[in-house]
Amino acid sequence: ESFSALLDRFYTETDHAERMRQRSQTLRKAISNLHERTRRKLELQRQELEATHDREQLRRQGDIVTANLHAITRGQTLLRAEDFYDENLREIEIPLKPNLSPQQNAARFYKDYARAKHAEQVLTQQIAQGEIEESYLAGVLEELARAENERDLSEIRAELEVGGYVRRTAASRPGSAVKADALPLIDGFDIFVGRNNRQNDQLSLKTARRDDLWLHVQKFHGTHVIIACAGIQPPDET
């Protein structure tokens, strides 16, 4: 309406955004640290998983040592033998442990092979779980950036407390109601917007009816939006 009103609105909103940033700072820092720790852990696990992919070489070395037990004596540190897995039958050098018998040296390769095979299974599961957690924490950081009021922050914190990511505080109310934002009527349709996971779940699982429209960006963190249309097809503008 006027230049003064423009400035007043600008500084009011800027001040509010700064207060929200300060109030969410402790929570954001804790989740950022958790997210970074999860990311680093995933990096190491992926490197360990990559190392297990060479385990077939261990099994082959065990087979070659087993086939040449007669040519090995205790105290020997190296076996030079024909590699019958090589189509050209080239000679291969296999390191041995001098304190082990020939049979124990062969068994060592098979044991390392079995250990690597088991590690692959365990690491694959751990990485899958870690990727879910990393994605979840990244989503929480985005929710914190979108939080507009104390209610948004308290709902995010309550969700993190239930998940064991932050300690429960005396002021926490785990049973508090979850309420998503309702936009003004658009073309006669009620539209509801979730700002965090609790609100998203409330909208998608309890508020929305089977014949309403559910909107969400695929494979990306963000709000769930419900157009309460009761089976009526809204226009594209809606």
Side-chain angles (χ1 to χ4, degrees):
E1 310 84 61
S2 68
F3 191 66
S4 295
L6 170 68
L7 289 174
D8 183 56
R9 180 177 175 182
F10 171 76
Y11 286 113
T12 298
E13 293 184 358
T14 301
D15 182 55
H16 176 72
E18 177 58 22
R19 286 201 309 272
M20 289 300 298
R21 190 193 67 79
Q22 290 176 356
R23 287 171 183 168
S24 65
Q25 188 172 18
T26 301
L27 201 55
R28 191 167 60 250
K29 183 178 180 181
I31 300 306
S32 292
N33 289 340
L34 280 171
H35 181 256
E36 179 60 21
R37 195 181 309 155
T38 303
R39 189 193 63 77
R40 289 200 304 266
K41 185 178 178 181
L42 271 172
E43 224 171 71
L44 291 173
Q45 288 173 333
R46 289 183 181 120
Q47 290 174 7
E48 291 175 15
L49 179 62
E50 185 68 27
T52 67
H53 295 162
D54 294 332
R55 66 178 182 275
E56 279 302 315
Q57 183 61 21
L58 293 170
R59 184 182 62 79
R60 292 178 178 182
Q61 288 178 326
D63 289 347
I64 294 171
V65 170
T66 300
N68 289 274
L69 290 176
H70 63 281
I72 305 171
T73 57
R74 183 185 286 270
Q76 194 171 325
T77 59
L78 190 69
L79 169 67
R80 290 187 179 89
E82 187 179 85
D83 182 2
F84 44 76
Y85 286 104
D86 184 346
E87 59 181 15
N88 296 316
L89 299 177
R90 284 175 289 202
E91 189 176 73
I92 187 174
E93 292 185 347
I94 300 176
L96 303 173
K97 287 190 176 295
N99 58 319
L100 299 180
S101 68
Q103 292 82 0
Q104 288 172 329
N105 265 295
R108 177 175 63 89
F109 286 105
Y110 293 129
K111 187 175 181 180
D112 289 346
Y113 167 79
R115 188 183 294 118
K117 187 175 182 180
H118 177 68
E120 181 186 43
Q121 297 171 345
V122 173
L123 286 166
T124 300
Q125 294 174 352
Q126 290 177 342
I127 288 170
Q129 293 169 352
E131 286 174 344
I132 292 172
E133 185 168 27
E134 182 190 31
S135 176
Y136 170 74
L137 293 172
V140 171
L141 288 173
E142 291 183 20
E143 291 170 8
L144 286 170
R146 289 197 303 269
E148 291 188 349
N149 50 52
E150 288 291 344
R151 188 196 73 194
D152 290 343
L153 286 179
S154 64
E155 287 183 358
I156 294 170
R157 181 174 185 89
E159 177 189 326
L160 292 169
E161 288 175 355
V162 171
Y165 290 99
V166 296
R167 291 182 180 178
R168 194 180 297 279
T169 62
S172 297
R173 293 181 297 168
S176 58
V178 179
K179 186 178 179 183
D181 290 343
L183 299 183
L185 280 174
I186 299 178
D187 300 329
F189 296 102
D190 284 318
I191 296 181
F192 302 95
V193 179
R195 291 191 173 276
N196 53 59
N197 285 329
R198 296 184 80 200
Q199 291 183 10
N200 285 341
D201 289 345
Q202 172 74 20
L203 280 178
S204 301
L205 303 177
K206 296 182 180 179
T207 302
R209 296 167 297 191
R210 293 176 63 88
D211 49 3
D212 287 339
L213 279 181
W214 175 81
L215 303 161
H216 182 54
V217 181
Q218 187 179 24
K219 298 180 180 179
F220 196 77
H221 307 292
T223 61
H224 289 195
V225 178
I226 300 297
I227 302 177
C229 58
I232 299 171
Q233 178 63 42
D236 291 342
E237 290 76 10
T238 308

